[in-house]
């Protein structure tokens, strides 16, 4: 398989699209780190500054959509180009949602500031690390067209779900013992929910990467054979 | 069931096809056979006469002995002169008709004239040659320049001119075909880089029409070499003691003298077979002369065909 | 119509064009931009070929034509009394539907135009031939066989040779009349890539019945129907969100 199209403009346009996705990915990874830092270190100023941190990501989503539309309209892409462009549209949506979730986490961090910490942060940072790894690995798989790596991301989701359950049960005990902790516990559960959602989006990205590379749609637990229907 | 399947009569269609094919083959065989019989007859009657002497010496003893070299020489010179006149004239006329003339009344009249020229009987050409070239043009020039009787008499020049007019339609038609065969896309390409009409013609169209024009020349030669009637009054003689050549003064170069009279093969055959004093004695010579004439025409054609082949090949390996 | 910051090279106003009794163009008004690629699309018989042929007046070679309205290049009418057709056609080059190289060597094909216009010096001709072949993306392929017959080239190469031949006389405008119709997809892609590079220096107008090609290759697109101009906009606009419903119908294959 040769790498380059006869039209160099086409190659350039596809590369620019790819770069935009990676840019979004980089920003989003950073935002997650910052949001967790604001939470764990109880940094009010940082949390406040993260309120609108998703604006650049939203803008990039629009740019990705616009470029993809342009490519579809003007280039009539086929085969792997078509899969790349359509999956870019989906991946950008997932990344934008991740950005939204990061803002949510920052918001919760701000809210949790008002009261003393309920318990030491153990599970949440572990979930966050997993989610971060999943996002990073799914984007690495995107760049490298690495199906094996994407598959690993899918497997990690299991772990995140388990941590989430564990965290939920722990907080449940807190809330039952002492109703005054309900406010803080709920907010912590929201954070866990956000992290769990981030992991889901990373999973989506991994599935989209697999489709992009192999043409197999493995969503919803079933592999759809390509070219039928 | 579809209206096509199950129709009978396929056998009849095939039989008819084979019958038609047989008819075509048969008529071709007939034609080729007739030609073979004709040529065979001439060859049979004349081959014994063909000797080196026959081809290289002048007639002797009242045409009963010697050779027919002067007639051979005359035929070739006449044909060459004819083509030298007819080709430029015919090609120019064809270029005019095809490229410059419109489609109006004038061009249609010209075309009709050319077509009708092809139908004029050759004896009429002979009279035309005498009346127009010799008496009118020739004597006119003599009178105008006070030359006595130089141009105004039968000569190879006028015989060639007469024959040139006779073969003109052949050349015009063949050239026009050749010009039309050059694709419009070639002309467009030349115009599109800024060529004038004449440049398009000279650099693109004419070179590509070369082989067709040569075909015209071949056909002209074939037609003209064998004509007798136009030569009757315009310069042909039964016997001349000298060849129609002249030496350029102060040089060792001999050239054809177009003002001279000449002998010619077909004319020779005509006179010898109708007016000779010894019909039986000269019969083998008649056949021999006819054989030489046919062979000569054939050779001239062959030469031109080979020459044309060179251009065809260049063009064909060109077109993919 | 076209953005204000782009200069107009060819102005056509109210152009109507007749071949004999047949009217091929109906009052077409359009402004074609300099150093861009403009595509003209539309179904067969819509007049797109006639439109570009009216610019270099090559339609007149085949027969009598009649026009009303005006066609101006750099502000000057091409149908004026004093217009020199030879010079016009040097400045406005053309590439035709079917590749039509002359039955000569590659070198002589490209050198034909310059020779016509008076270039005789061998070295200058060599330079022109090389430059033109490079611009047509052909130099590397044929530099060692310039004396071979042009007919030994493939269809796509012959077409690029025709482009080189047109470029050799240093035109300002290049008209292309469905240049890829006779080529296979690879040949087509090479021509399109060449066109994309040409627009740095030349104004390119390309007629195509393949609208995907127009989408790939052009900056502006004009859509024509039965001799009239229906829409003229930047290409991205035409293919994402056309102004005129007829354009959209044509582009989406709802008729045509």
């Amino acid at each position: 398989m040769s790498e380059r199209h006869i039209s160099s403009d086409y190659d350039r346009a596809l590369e620019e699209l790819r770069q935009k996705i990676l840019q979004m990915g980089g920003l989003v990874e950073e935002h997650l780190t910052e949001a967790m830092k604001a939470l764990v270190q109880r940094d009010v100023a940082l949390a406040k500054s993260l309120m609108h941190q998703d604006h650049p990501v939203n803008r990039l989503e629009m740019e990705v959509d616009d470029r993809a539309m342009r490519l579809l309209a003007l280039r009539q892409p086929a085969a792997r180009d078509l899969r790349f462009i359509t999956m870019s549209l989906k991946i950008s949506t997932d990344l934008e949602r991740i950005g939204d979730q990061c803002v949510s986490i920052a918001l919760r961090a701000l809210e949790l500031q008002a009261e003393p910490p309920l318990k030491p942060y153990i599970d949440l940072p572990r979930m966050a690390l997993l989610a971060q790894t999943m996002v990073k690995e799914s984007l690495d798989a995107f760049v490298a067209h690495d199906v094996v790596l994407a598959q690993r991301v899918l497997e990690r989701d299991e772990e995140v779900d388990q941590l989430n359950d564990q965290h939920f049960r722990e907080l449940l005990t807190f809330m039952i013992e002492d109703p005054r902790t309900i406010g803080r516990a709920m907010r912590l559960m929201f954070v866990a929910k956000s992290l769990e959602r981030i992991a889901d989006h990373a999973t989506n990205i991994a599935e989209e990467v697999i489709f992009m590379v192999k043409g197999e749609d493995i969503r919803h637990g079933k592999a759809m054979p390509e070219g039928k229907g | 069931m579809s209206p096509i399947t199950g129709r009978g009569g396929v056998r009849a269609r095939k039989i008819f096809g084979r019958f038609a094919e047989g008819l075509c083959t048969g008529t071709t065989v007939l034609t080729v056979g007739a030609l073979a019989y004709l040529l065979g007859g001439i060859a049979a009657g004349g081959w014994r006469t063909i000797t080196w002497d026959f081809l290289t010496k002048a007639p002797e003893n009242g045409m009963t002995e010697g050779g027919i070299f002067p007639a051979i020489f005359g035929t070739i010179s006449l044909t060459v002169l004819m083509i030298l006149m007819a080709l430029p004239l015919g090609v120019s006329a064809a270029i005019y008709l095809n490229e410059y003339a419109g489609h109006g009344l004038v061009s249609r009249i010209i075309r009709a004239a050319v077509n009708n020229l092809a139908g004029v009987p050759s004896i009429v050409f002979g009279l035309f040659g005498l009346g127009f070239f010799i008496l009118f043009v020739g004597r006119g020039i003599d009178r105008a320049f006070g030359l006595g009787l130089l141009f105004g008499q039968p000569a190879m020049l006028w015989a060639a001119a007469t024959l040139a007019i006779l073969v003109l339609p052949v050349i015009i038609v063949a050239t026009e075909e050749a010009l039309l065969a050059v694709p419009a896309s070639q002309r467009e390409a030349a115009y599109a880089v800024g060529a004038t009409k004449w440049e398009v013609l000279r650099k693109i169209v004419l070179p590509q029409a070369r082989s067709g024009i040569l075909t015209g020349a071949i056909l002209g030669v074939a037609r003209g070499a064998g004509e007798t009637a136009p030569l009757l009054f315009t310069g042909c003689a039964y016997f001349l003691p000298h060849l129609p050549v002249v030496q350029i003064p102060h040089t060792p170069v001999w050239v054809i003298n177009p003002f001279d009279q000449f002998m010619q093969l077909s004319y020779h055959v005509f006179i010898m077979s109708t007016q000779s004093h010894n019909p039986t004695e000269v019969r083998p010579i008649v056949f021999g002369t006819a054989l030489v004439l046919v062979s000569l025409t054939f050779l001239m054609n062959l030469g031109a065909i080979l020459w044309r082949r060179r251009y065809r090949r260049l063009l064909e390996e060109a077109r993919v | 119509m076209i953005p204000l910051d782009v200069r107009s090279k060819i102005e056509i106003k109210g152009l109507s064009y007749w071949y004999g009794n047949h009217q091929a163009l109906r009052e077409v008004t359009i402004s074609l931009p300099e150093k861009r690629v403009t595509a003209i699309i539309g179904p067969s018989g819509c007049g797109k070929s006639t439109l570009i042929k009216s610019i270099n007046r090559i339609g007149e070679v085949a027969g009598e034509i009649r026009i009303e309205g005006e066609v101006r290049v750099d502000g000057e009418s091409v149908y004026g009394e004093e217009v020199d057709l030879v010079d016009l056609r040097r400045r406005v080059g053309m590439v035709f539907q079917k590749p039509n190289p002359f039955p000569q060597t590659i070198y002589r094909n490209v050198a034909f135009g310059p020779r016509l216009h008076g270039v005789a010096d061998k070295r200058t001709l060599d330079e022109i031939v090389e430059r033109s072949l490079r611009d047509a993306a052909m130099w590397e392929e044929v530099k060692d066989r310039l004396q071979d017959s042009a007919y030994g080239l493939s269809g796509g190469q012959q077409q690029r040779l025709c482009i080189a031949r047109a470029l050799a006389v240093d035109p300002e405008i290049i008209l292309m009349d469905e240049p890829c119709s006779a080529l296979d997809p690879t040949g087509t892609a090479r021509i399109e890539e060449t066109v994309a590079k040409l627009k740095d220096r030349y104004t390119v107008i390309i007629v195509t019945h393949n609208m995907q090609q127009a989408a790939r290759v052009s900056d502006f697109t004009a859509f024509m129907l039965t001799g009239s101009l229906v829409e003229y906009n930047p290409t991205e606009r035409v293919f994402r969100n056309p102004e005129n419903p007829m354009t959209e119908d044509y582009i989406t294959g709802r008729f045509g």
Side-chain angles (χ1 to χ4, degrees), chain A residues 13-28 56-57 59-68 84 88 91-92 95 139 142:
Chain A
L14 288 171
E15 185 53 32
E16 281 168 5
L17 181 61
R18 186 185 344 264
Q19 287 303 322
K20 291 282 169 200
I21 301 271
L22 293 178
Q23 239 183 307
M24 274 179 90
L27 279 175
V28 145
V57 175
R59 238 193 335 263
L60 278 170
E61 189 201 13
M62 291 188 346
E63 276 179 51
V64 165
D65 285 358
D66 183 65
R67 278 168 192 270
F84 167 69
S88 294
I91 290 173
S92 83
L95 288 172
L139 289 172
F142 170 73

Side-chain angles (χ1 to χ4, degrees), chain B residues 2 12 19 22 34 84 91 112-113 124 150 154 169 179 193 237 250 264 280 282 291 296 318:
Chain B
S2 128
F19 171 68
L84 283 177
V91 171
V124 174
L150 177 62
L179 292 172
V193 288
H250 312 299
Q264 207 259 17
T280 24
V282 298
L291 183 59
L296 194 63

Side-chain angles (χ1 to χ4, degrees), chain C residues 74-95:
Chain C
D74 286 333
E76 286 177 30
S77 170
V78 303
Y79 286 91
E81 294 274 305
E82 345 67 47
V83 167
D84 177 14
L85 275 181
V86 167
D87 186 58
L88 174 66
R89 291 178 185 147
R90 186 197 64 73
R91 292 169 58 211
V92 183
M94 190 161 205
V95 176

Side-chain angles (χ1 to χ4, degrees), chain B residues 162-187:
Chain B
T162 310
L163 279 181
I165 306 282
L166 188 140
V167 304
L168 210 54
V170 167
I171 294 182
I172 292 178
V173 167
T175 306
E176 261 200 296
E177 291 283 308
L179 292 172
L180 282 171
V182 177
S185 59
Q186 288 289 308
R187 293 166 208 257

Side-chain angles (χ1 to χ4, degrees), chain A residues 6-9 66 69-70 73-76, chain C residues 186 189-190 193 212 215-216 235-236 239-240:
Chain A
I6 292 173
S7 164
S8 52
D9 278 348
D66 183 65
M69 277 287 283
R70 190 184 151 89
L74 298 185
R75 292 282 171 187
Q76 308 94 44
Chain C
T186 310
R190 292 239 175 84
E193 179 63 356
Q212 284 78 28
R216 288 191 292 268
T235 299
E236 192 173 348
F239 285 92
R240 278 175 77 157

